[in-house]
Amino acid sequence: MHELSIAASIVEAVTESAAAYPGARVKEVRLRIGALASVIEDSLQFCWQISTEGTPLAGAVLRVETVPVTLHCAACQADAQLDGVQSFRCPRCGEPATELRQGRELEIDSIEIEDEVEQQV
Ligand SMILES: [Zn+2]
């Protein structure tokens, strides 16, 4: 399962980052996922629940921001955003696009950490 290994690697990366803040709890993890990364969000959310269970990340919210596919068309000398991922042609002139600007992202955008000490004040 594709999403399960993604979830596992996110858990690993977040745990590593959170280690810098002992005693703090991770509240929220924001991801940027390109439309071409072929990640099913529902499935990823489910895998996230499983992967964080029993870890310090349990209960942390996973927020996914979908990054649209953006192509660069050499003919138009412009970037164009695609609605779908069916074709890689420029929506303006119909030429096959030469360059993919974005859409393959799979990265952690930010991690929100809740400091328990601060919360008790
Ligand atoms: Zn074009």
Side-chain angles (χ1 to χ4, degrees), residues 24-115:
R25 201 180 72 86
V26 176
K27 243 168 73 178
E28 193 177 292
V29 177
R30 293 194 196 95
L31 296 181
R32 285 165 52 82
I33 297 182
L36 292 178
S38 53
V39 173
I40 299 156
E41 191 187 336
D42 282 353
S43 177
L44 184 61
Q45 292 286 4
F46 178 69
C47 295
W48 173 253
Q49 300 293 332
I50 298 171
S51 306
T52 54
E53 218 176 77
T55 77
L57 296 183
V61 176
L62 187 67
R63 259 187 231 293
V64 176
E65 187 202 334
T66 306
V67 182
V69 179
T70 303
L71 299 172
H72 181 75
C73 175
C76 299
Q77 296 279 309
D79 288 354
Q81 218 174 74
L82 295 191
D83 294 331
V85 294
Q86 296 87 354
S87 118
F88 285 98
R89 287 177 184 276
C90 170
R92 278 192 207 92
C93 67
E95 285 292 312
T98 46
E99 229 183 294
L100 181 67
R101 284 273 200 253
Q102 60 171 31
R104 285 196 203 279
E105 291 79 359
L106 181 52
E107 59 195 26
I108 297 170
D109 184 41
S110 64
I111 300 168
E112 200 175 309
I113 283 172
E114 182 180 274
D115 196 325

